[in-house]
Amino acid sequence: MERLAEDSIVVGISACLLGQPVRFDGGHKRAEFCERELGQYFSFVPICPEMAIGLGVPRPSIRLVQRADGIHVESGDGTQDVTIPLQAYAEQMSGQLTHLSGYIFCAKSPSCGMERVRLYGAAGGAKVGVGLYARVLMQRLPLLPVEEDGRLNDPHLRENFVQRVFAYHDWQRLLASGLDRGKLIAFHSRYKYLLLAHHPAAYK
């Protein structure tokens, strides 16, 4: 995958949120705030895991299904199970996206939703699932700031996400320059109040 300039703040994003027609019905879910506002500060890397594993457009919609052996990702009619290829792609990408300083997922997606995705087979089809691709990335890259497009409409969540992206980018640059005691103290000084606000015990 092409790397951008070292001083760029590179953020992954679900490709449909940038208006790419990659959804199962050939549509998109353009998030104008991401494209118009955040795009002034971030260099976006658009990714659609469903397209990446060979699902074309148009295609049958997929969903999370609770089975006896765990959660699967299947087509709505149950004729296609894409759990293994989607898991493999997520594992592959988690090793290639370590340069990202953040990630914006598409809400409610069985591949990219980070929370409250409908889980079929659960009681009443409860919205308790996490998209498979998003779950693997969050597990493999636990420090990566992540958010969903819909939640960015909340000004407090939006501010929190942007702060975390800038702070994480600063940390990545610090590591790349060579970490030493002085640089670490300077970093903690810059983010003292932010760290105290999020986790006083860990900061101490």
Side-chain angles (χ1 to χ4, degrees):
M1 178 172 295
E2 181 181 356
R3 297 296 177 91
L4 299 169
E6 290 185 4
D7 59 347
S8 296
I9 300 180
V10 187
V11 173
I13 189 170
S14 295
C16 60
L17 299 180
L18 291 185
Q20 295 187 13
V22 295
R23 286 176 58 79
F24 72 96
D25 58 359
H28 59 76
K29 289 189 66 178
R30 176 179 280 114
E32 291 191 6
F33 174 78
C34 294
E35 190 172 21
R36 185 182 64 252
E37 301 296 335
L38 295 184
Q40 299 180 57
Y41 308 98
F42 301 156
S43 296
F44 285 125
V45 176
I47 300 170
C48 177
E50 295 175 27
M51 291 286 286
I53 63 171
L55 300 180
V57 174
R59 59 181 179 272
S61 62
I62 58 174
R63 61 184 187 176
L64 294 181
V65 181
Q66 179 71 63
R67 300 292 184 192
D69 61 344
I71 296 175
H72 289 243
V73 185
E74 303 177 357
S75 59
D77 58 8
T79 60
Q80 188 176 20
D81 189 322
V82 297
T83 308
I84 292 176
L86 193 56
Q87 172 88 25
Y89 178 73
E91 296 281 358
Q92 172 192 337
M93 295 305 291
S94 66
Q96 296 181 10
L97 298 177
T98 55
H99 63 297
L100 296 185
S101 298
Y103 207 114
I104 301 173
F105 291 112
C106 178
K108 302 179 182 180
S109 164
S111 59
C112 293
M114 60 178 275
E115 63 178 17
R116 299 192 304 273
V117 179
R118 185 176 298 280
L119 178 60
Y120 291 84
K127 295 181 180 180
V128 295
V130 177
L132 178 55
Y133 172 79
R135 176 166 56 82
V136 172
L137 253 62
M138 290 190 291
Q139 288 174 345
R140 299 292 183 268
L141 303 171
L143 297 181
L144 182 68
V146 298
E147 196 49 272
E148 287 185 334
D149 60 304
R151 286 166 50 92
L152 289 174
N153 292 318
D154 183 308
H156 299 292
L157 294 176
R158 181 169 64 239
E159 180 181 10
N160 179 272
F161 174 68
V162 172
Q163 283 182 334
R164 287 185 290 131
V165 169
F166 274 88
Y168 189 54
H169 177 67
D170 197 6
W171 176 251
Q172 290 172 307
R173 293 181 65 186
L174 174 61
L175 293 179
S177 70
L179 186 62
D180 59 36
R181 183 188 297 269
K183 291 179 181 178
L184 184 59
I185 291 174
F187 177 85
H188 277 266
S189 297
R190 287 196 298 276
Y191 295 100
K192 175 180 179 179
Y193 295 109
L194 184 62
L195 292 166
L196 280 171
H198 283 276
H199 205 310
Y203 178 78
K204 292 179 181 178

